[in-house]
Amino acid sequence: MTENTEKRGFQTEVKQLLNLLANSLYSNKEVFLRELISNASDAIDKLRFAAVQDQSVYGDDSNLHIRLSADKEKKTLTISDNGIGMTRDQICEHLGTIAKSGTADFFKNLSGDQAKDSQLIGQFGVGFYSAFIVADKVTVVSRAAGVAPDQAVCWESDGTGEYTVSTVTKADRGTDVILSLKEDDKEYLEDWTLRNAVTKYSDHISVPVEMLETVKPEKKDDDKEEDKSEDNAEEKAEDKKEETAEYTEWKQINEAKALWTRSAKDITDDEYKEFYKHISHDWDDPLTWAHNHVEGAQEYTSLLYVPKHAPWDLFNREQKHGLKLYVQRVFIMDDAEQFMPGYLRFVKGVLDSNDLPLNVSREILQDSKLTSKLKSGCTKKALQMIGKMAKDENQDNYKTFWKEYGSVMKEGLVEDYDNREEIFDLMRYASTHNDNSEQNVSLQDYISRMPEKQKNIYFLTASTYAAAASSPYLETFKKKGIEVLLMTERVDEWVMNQVTEYKEKKFVSVTASDLDLGDLEDKEEKEKQENQTKENEDFLKKVKEALGEQVTDVKVTNRLTDTPSCVIGQGNQMMTAQMRRILEASGQTLPDEKYTLEINLDHDLVKHLAAETDENRFKDWAQLILDEAILADQGALKEPARYVKLVNSLLLNK
Ligand code: ADP
Ligand code: MG
């Protein structure tokens, strides 16, 4: 330690993360290489970007590269880059804290179950700290661009609670990350292990990755064809110089061509998957991807991916999302959210535009016409990519997709009017056609099963599948054999209030007060209902009087068979119980709901009520029939105690 050495503690979250890394994540060890190479490549991207404004940042070192070297004696593996580097302040900020928003929430989400946590942490991206998976000491020596050689900084930690920083001398610009490997992880000193891993993680990045190679000079007689190629001209010259001694030199081992700039037909699935992991830090393969070069009015390349798992903070407003933006191959920014609508915020990938200016900023992007054109292009590409999965004969991927993102996709029906039709095609719902809660019925399926007479698409929103499936509103539909879509997510009701039709078929809620079955209505039934109403005018009036203010009307219904009664909200802009709960939970005060009570005259309970002569008991029975209907509809009563008392007294016949 020198005089200028300073000891500092890690931020609490970093300590938690390091603990987790040291104790659990053995199955995915290799990710440390991906993360460190990824950081080195980011640092070089940042230097290139800075050079767009000011060429002088390159100094006399414009040959950008990442280098890996292993020292078997010292048992160290070093990853070096000559990128942007870090100052003393930056190193403390970047390698002592976690800047990601919602970090605290993330840690709350950890379960202690290793398998699950490892999944989560993969999504979170452990970045630099993954070095401690294989190293018991990590030393980072960095010299930022434009900083004097004797003002470089050395950061060191054993990955427990603290780290030290000191000022040191470093000849070249950039960063060396030196890993002192754990006893069990010596394999990362082996040339072939490294080569394998590095090619896997770096073939698609645009920076050359180099490793030292031992060159054995060959005798002239052995000279083969390949030595005649231009690439080897230099080597050949050197060969001649040192014909006897072995020597080492840096050799590029990756392709070093940004993946998305290559032609799709030359890229393997594995390369696409690795590139996804590079940009997303996910440990899992992506669900699907789409790679498009677009020419014409705008020229751009997009490479979009759908992750297999929704991010843990998908519904957090501050969640970082968006594409990695490049302009003419130069990296501009991460998380450019301007190119994807909100409902596609889970899409990851790269957008490389030829038309945006190199000095583009978030502010400029915000209100540029070009941005909205690119957004519309990328949105279409993303929807096509998802649509392809939806049409796939093997539905496994789409099932996963729908489970992870279905409720977010529904937001698109309201958010993205232009693409509403395409988004509707992607919807999957539970339905009375099935006897389980699986959301696997598309609107096309539904329409294909509609009897000729049926003009509308019928749906029911409820708070759970069980409540929906046993809803009394379905009785008449069951009797007539008409399919009803069962929608049980919070977002459904909001969406269904805003959309009116699909392919010229109107959406009709089965709980609508003016439920019109059109041609599906049975003439006989309708007549029966009218007759019953006429015949029971006095009875209906009496029930209404008994219930007083609680109801706006009491009617005879033919939508029920096994249930005595149901309640209907007011008007066509009816609010279901579900919506009411959402609004109330958000702090709005709503006027008491008044209901129209519909009763089924064929039901024994209603017959019993009609036969009741005692005025008080008539009131009680009427109240019971109303309460039951409200309970079935809302899943709760305002005064449950009163209801229990009422039931008890009726049961005991008091
Ligand atoms: P992320 O890369 O997602 O930001 P990391 O934990 O991998 O998270 O790295 C944290 C930060 O440390 C980076 O954002 C960067 O600012 C800095 N950093 C890490 N490695 C390097 C490097 N080789 N050169 C320059 N800066 C680096
Ligand atoms: Mg990183």
Side-chain angles (χ1 to χ4, degrees):
M1 278 202 207
T2 55
E3 246 174 55
N4 62 41
T5 303
E6 194 185 336
K7 204 175 219 170
R8 294 190 175 210
F10 285 116
Q11 180 197 23
T12 320
E13 283 83 2
V14 177
K15 281 190 211 160
Q16 283 173 290
L17 183 60
L18 288 170
N19 224 330
L20 201 71
L21 286 173
N23 294 317
S24 50
L25 307 168
Y26 292 116
S27 54
N28 272 302
K29 274 192 175 176
E30 230 182 49
V31 296
F32 84 91
L33 262 178
R34 184 175 81 214
E35 294 297 336
L36 297 181
I37 291 176
S38 171
N39 283 350
S41 132
D42 288 350
I44 286 173
D45 272 347
K46 282 178 198 160
L47 186 77
R48 280 184 184 146
F49 180 58
V52 169
Q53 308 283 348
D54 177 9
Q55 279 283 328
S56 74
V57 296
Y58 284 140
D60 54 4
D61 185 10
S62 62
N63 183 13
L64 304 175
H65 50 68
I66 299 171
R67 285 180 169 169
L68 263 91
S69 52
D71 183 327
K72 286 194 175 168
E73 264 161 46
K74 291 188 186 145
K75 301 185 177 78
T76 57
L77 171 64
T78 302
I79 296 110
S80 305
D81 67 73
N82 56 353
I84 192 96
M86 285 177 277
T87 62
R88 189 172 176 132
D89 284 349
Q90 284 167 342
I91 220 167
C92 294
E93 192 192 325
H94 296 319
L95 309 185
T97 62
I98 305 177
K100 295 187 181 73
S101 65
T103 306
D105 280 353
F106 169 77
F107 281 97
K108 270 187 229 138
N109 266 310
L110 293 176
S111 62
D113 175 335
Q114 279 190 22
K116 267 193 213 148
D117 288 351
S118 142
Q119 192 56 256
L120 258 186
I121 203 149
Q123 289 178 22
F124 184 69
V126 283
F128 169 77
Y129 303 104
S130 64
F132 290 100
I133 300 177
V134 293
D136 43 27
K137 188 177 83 180
V138 178
T139 310
V140 182
V141 183
S142 190
R143 186 181 139 201
V147 163
D150 62 354
Q151 290 302 304
V153 58
C154 175
W155 177 106
E156 193 162 84
S157 175
D158 63 3
T160 49
E162 290 164 334
Y163 61 91
T164 58
V165 274
S166 51
T167 303
V168 294
T169 300
K170 184 178 188 295
D172 315 314
R173 180 192 62 233
T175 305
D176 297 339
V177 178
I178 306 152
L179 310 177
S180 303
L181 294 174
K182 291 180 186 170
E183 204 48 50
D184 287 348
D185 298 305
K186 297 286 157 56
E187 58 184 298
Y188 295 108
L189 296 172
E190 299 303 329
D191 198 62
W192 64 270
T193 318
L194 282 176
R195 241 165 238 278
N196 266 345
V198 171
T199 339
K200 181 166 150 199
Y201 294 135
S202 62
D203 248 358
H204 51 261
I205 62 175
S206 61
V207 187
V209 176
E210 301 174 347
M211 279 177 75
L212 275 177
E213 206 161 274
T214 307
V215 180
K216 281 186 192 150
E218 290 168 37
K219 289 199 182 105
K220 262 183 190 163
D221 315 6
D222 294 344
D223 275 3
K224 294 252 163 64
E225 234 183 301
E226 68 241 36
D227 272 358
K228 288 179 193 141
S229 73
E230 274 180 50
D231 287 349
N232 285 333
E234 264 183 14
E235 278 170 46
K236 215 171 143 188
E238 284 197 42
D239 276 356
K240 280 180 188 162
K241 265 186 258 159
E242 298 175 57
E243 281 207 333
T244 44
E246 278 186 10
Y247 62 97
T248 55
E249 64 178 12
W250 291 105
K251 278 268 176 72
Q252 181 174 331
I253 57 168
N254 66 337
E255 197 156 335
K257 192 166 180 207
L259 184 90
W260 68 91
T261 62
R262 291 164 52 193
S263 162
K265 66 178 189 333
D266 300 334
I267 306 175
T268 65
D269 283 2
D270 280 344
E271 286 177 306
Y272 276 122
K273 287 176 189 171
E274 272 316 318
F275 184 69
Y276 163 75
K277 290 176 180 175
H278 165 72
I279 57 164
S280 68
H281 304 274
D282 194 345
W283 295 3
D284 230 329
D285 287 340
L287 207 51
T288 187
W289 59 85
H291 185 190
N292 294 284
H293 298 286
V294 178
E295 281 167 21
Q298 283 95 48
E299 264 179 48
Y300 63 92
T301 299
S302 64
L303 173 52
L304 308 177
Y305 291 93
V306 178
K308 209 175 263 178
H309 303 277
W312 53 280
D313 55 354
L314 184 61
F315 291 98
N316 177 352
R317 276 177 197 282
E318 265 138 63
Q319 180 227 23
K320 275 200 180 163
H321 58 96
L323 305 178
K324 237 176 149 67
L325 177 66
Y326 288 74
V327 171
Q328 295 162 32
R329 321 273 178 276
V330 177
F331 168 75
I332 306 294
M333 65 178 83
D334 277 312
D335 309 314
E337 72 279 359
Q338 295 82 354
F339 303 100
M340 276 290 148
Y343 71 100
L344 294 174
R345 58 188 175 271
F346 53 85
V347 172
K348 299 224 154 118
V350 167
L351 171 65
D352 188 345
S353 160
N354 269 354
D355 310 308
L356 284 168
L358 271 163
N359 62 356
V360 70
S361 64
R362 274 181 204 274
E363 290 66 40
I364 296 176
L365 279 182
Q366 216 75 57
D367 40 35
S368 130
K369 259 197 188 142
L370 195 50
T371 304
S372 69
K373 283 183 185 154
L374 285 167
K375 178 179 178 179
S376 135
C378 289
T379 304
K380 290 231 152 57
K381 295 283 175 254
L383 289 175
Q384 279 164 14
M385 158 174 78
I386 297 165
K388 218 167 138 201
M389 243 190 320
K391 283 186 218 111
D392 207 347
E393 212 171 306
N394 180 345
Q395 282 287 293
D396 291 354
N397 276 356
Y398 201 67
K399 271 185 191 157
T400 308
F401 173 82
W402 194 253
K403 200 174 118 257
E404 295 291 313
Y405 307 109
S407 55
V408 191
M409 288 303 294
K410 286 174 182 169
E411 294 173 12
L413 291 171
V414 178
E415 186 185 343
D416 188 355
Y417 188 81
D418 291 345
N419 292 306
R420 194 177 266 184
E421 193 86 0
E422 284 85 344
I423 302 169
F424 261 133
D425 290 344
L426 300 172
M427 292 295 125
R428 297 292 182 273
Y429 298 104
S431 153
T432 53
H433 183 73
N434 301 333
D435 52 10
N436 59 50
S437 62
E438 205 179 319
Q439 296 180 19
N440 62 1
V441 173
S442 69
L443 292 171
Q444 298 93 308
D445 293 340
Y446 181 92
I447 289 173
S448 71
R449 290 193 284 257
M450 275 167 57
E452 211 178 313
K453 280 181 176 175
Q454 187 181 341
K455 298 283 176 278
N456 303 325
I457 299 172
Y458 294 102
F459 69 93
L460 170 68
T461 56
S463 50
T464 63
Y465 172 76
S470 61
S471 167
Y473 299 105
L474 294 179
E475 287 172 12
T476 178
F477 290 87
K478 278 186 192 148
K479 204 169 67 185
K480 292 180 192 294
I482 299 168
E483 183 172 355
V484 177
L485 298 174
L486 304 176
M487 306 184 180
T488 53
E489 275 165 354
R490 269 169 161 244
V491 61
D492 284 320
E493 183 149 4
W494 171 66
V495 169
M496 297 316 287
N497 269 318
Q498 325 242 357
V499 298
T500 49
E501 58 174 47
Y502 169 74
K503 302 228 158 118
E504 291 169 11
K505 310 257 179 308
K506 269 213 299 224
F507 287 108
V508 174
S509 165
V510 301
T511 66
S513 58
D514 58 351
L515 180 63
D516 180 2
L517 292 177
D519 292 347
L520 295 168
E521 197 122 41
D522 198 320
K523 276 219 182 79
E524 265 173 46
E525 240 173 40
K526 195 154 193 182
E527 262 168 35
K528 182 180 162 198
Q529 189 185 1
E530 276 162 14
N531 289 338
Q532 277 188 330
T533 305
K534 255 184 236 151
E535 285 161 19
N536 293 281
E537 218 171 306
D538 287 347
F539 172 57
L540 295 172
K541 213 170 129 197
K542 203 171 152 196
V543 179
K544 186 169 182 233
E545 274 168 14
L547 295 171
E549 289 281 280
Q550 302 174 81
V551 292
T552 47
D553 204 358
V554 178
K555 287 181 174 167
V556 173
T557 185
N558 61 359
R559 63 170 119 202
L560 302 175
T561 54
D562 309 329
T563 310
S565 60
C566 66
V567 285
I568 309 292
Q570 283 165 310
N572 285 329
Q573 282 296 83
M574 186 200 56
M575 186 187 303
T576 65
Q578 165 111 333
M579 188 62 133
R580 196 177 178 83
R581 269 196 292 274
I582 293 170
L583 292 177
E584 280 176 347
S586 77
Q588 299 195 38
T589 41
L590 302 167
D592 269 351
E593 185 86 76
K594 280 195 178 166
Y595 304 99
T596 296
L597 178 66
E598 295 194 353
I599 52 178
N600 170 7
L601 289 172
D602 298 332
H603 196 279
D604 284 347
L605 212 58
V606 177
K607 285 182 186 159
H608 188 94
L609 172 67
E612 182 57 62
T613 50
D614 181 280
E615 208 176 304
N616 284 330
R617 288 167 63 90
F618 184 90
K619 259 195 171 158
D620 284 351
W621 280 111
Q623 187 66 47
L624 179 84
I625 284 169
L626 173 66
D627 284 353
E628 271 193 356
I630 296 173
L631 189 56
D633 186 62
Q634 314 246 332
L637 283 170
K638 276 242 161 70
E639 298 174 72
R642 193 201 61 181
Y643 173 76
V644 171
K645 214 167 142 191
L646 176 64
V647 173
N648 287 346
S649 90
L650 289 171
L651 282 172
L652 294 170
N653 213 2
K654 277 185 188 158

